[in-house]
Amino acid sequence: MLRLVVLGDPVAHSLSPAIHTAALAACGLEGRYRARRVDAAGVRAAVDEIRDGTLDGANVTMPHKATAAAAADRLDDQARRADSVNTLVREDGRVVGHTTDVGGIRDAWSRAGLSDEAPVLLLGGGGAAAAALLALEGRDLVIATRRPGAGAALVERLEVTAEEAAWGAGVLGAVVVNATPIGMHGERLPDEVLDRAGGLFEMAYGPHPTPAVARARREGMPVAEGLDMLVAQAARSFTLWTGIEAPIEAMREAVTHR
C-alpha cells in the first residue's frame, strides 16, 4: 500500500488529498494520502521516513519547500536552481527532491492554449515566481514586484534573462502570470496590467474564480487558473511516485466538483 503525505503549515485547506485519493482510486492502486501539519523538524522527520520506507513519498507546500530542498539527499536540476522542492521520492534508498511546479506550469499553459510567442508579464518575486521563471525561460520575460528590486534579485539568483518593470504597469499583448496571492480573497490586480494583456495564467485560487480570471474570461482571453496548475503539478508528482500516467480528468473532477 502506498503511503503518501503533503507537508505544510497550514495544510488543512490543501486540496492535494482529494486530488491524489481520486488518482489512486482511478488507477486501482491501494494507498492513502494524508495532510500532515509540520514545522521544519517535521519535514526532516518525514524525509527520514521516506528514506527508511515508512513513507513512499511526499508533497511539500508552503512554507517548507526550501527546508525540503535542504533535507533531501539529491535534487533534480530544476529543484536545485529554484532551491525549492514540492515532491519527495525514494530512489535506491535515497530521497530525491523534485519541483513539479515547473513542469506543471508548462502543462497547464499548453492545455489552456496560451501563446508561446507573446511576451510574459510575471507578477511576484517569491517561490511561485521562481517556478514560473524557470518554466518560461527563454521567452520575452518582464517581471514586476511590489517591493522594488525583488524581481531583479530573483532573476539574478536563477540566472535567467528578464526585464524589470514597475508594479502596476502593463505590457502590450502579454500573457500575465500572477504569482502573487492577489485574488485569493477577492483582491484585484492593477487595472493597466489586464488592460494591455493578451492572456492570463492565474496561480492564485480559491473557492471562486479570482477577479482577474472573471475579467479575462469576459474579455475572451485564454486563461489558465490556479486549479489547472494545481492538478498539472499533482499529476507529475503522481507519476514520479507510481510510474503510471496520471488520470488527469479524475484528478481535475475531484477539485472542480467538490
Side-chain angles (χ1 to χ4, degrees):
M1 181 174 74
L2 285 169
R3 293 148 298 186
L4 305 165
V5 295
V6 56
L7 309 170
D9 185 17
V11 77
H13 68 287
S14 175
L15 298 178
S16 293
I19 291 171
H20 286 289
T21 297
L24 290 167
C27 293
L29 297 176
E30 185 179 358
R32 64 173 184 266
Y33 185 108
R34 299 285 186 265
R36 184 186 289 186
R37 184 179 179 183
V38 295
D39 58 11
V43 173
R44 292 189 287 270
V47 169
D48 288 338
E49 290 179 61
I50 296 170
R51 194 178 288 114
D52 68 23
T54 304
L55 287 174
D56 293 295
N59 281 135
V60 185
T61 188
M62 297 300 291
H64 297 315
K65 293 185 178 184
T67 299
D73 298 318
R74 183 169 63 82
L75 303 179
D76 75 1
D77 182 59
Q78 299 287 27
R80 178 188 55 77
R81 291 184 67 192
D83 191 27
S84 176
V85 160
N86 79 330
T87 305
L88 294 164
V89 181
R90 185 175 66 255
E91 297 179 13
D92 300 323
R94 304 180 74 206
V95 179
V96 182
H98 299 261
T99 174
T100 65
D101 289 335
V102 173
I105 290 168
R106 292 172 180 158
D107 293 343
W109 188 285
S110 177
R111 290 192 184 101
L114 293 166
S115 172
D116 290 329
E117 305 298 330
V120 174
L121 173 58
L122 172 62
L123 307 179
L133 283 171
L134 293 178
L136 302 171
E137 186 174 11
R139 304 192 190 197
D140 181 5
L141 295 171
V142 179
I143 187 169
T145 56
R146 286 172 285 186
R147 182 166 60 87
L154 180 62
V155 166
E156 182 178 3
R157 178 172 71 80
L158 296 178
E159 298 180 337
V160 300
T161 300
E163 296 181 17
E164 188 171 26
W167 179 258
V171 174
L172 184 63
V175 177
V176 174
V177 179
N178 180 27
T180 78
I182 295 172
M184 291 182 68
H185 303 290
E187 310 93 335
R188 297 172 61 90
L189 292 175
D191 285 340
E192 185 181 334
V193 166
L194 291 180
D195 286 347
R196 308 191 75 194
L200 175 67
F201 193 109
E202 175 67 276
M203 291 192 179
Y205 69 89
H208 306 290
T210 66
V213 166
R215 177 179 170 182
R217 284 185 170 154
R218 283 197 308 270
E219 297 180 5
M221 296 183 204
V223 176
E225 290 193 73
L227 285 177
D228 296 327
M229 179 187 163
L230 181 68
V231 171
Q233 62 81 22
R236 285 180 171 249
S237 294
F238 184 84
T239 298
L240 283 170
W241 294 321
T242 66
I244 297 172
E245 184 177 352
I248 292 285
E249 293 309 316
M251 298 170 85
R252 186 183 304 278
E253 186 173 350
V255 291
T256 55
H257 299 292
R258 65 190 190 280

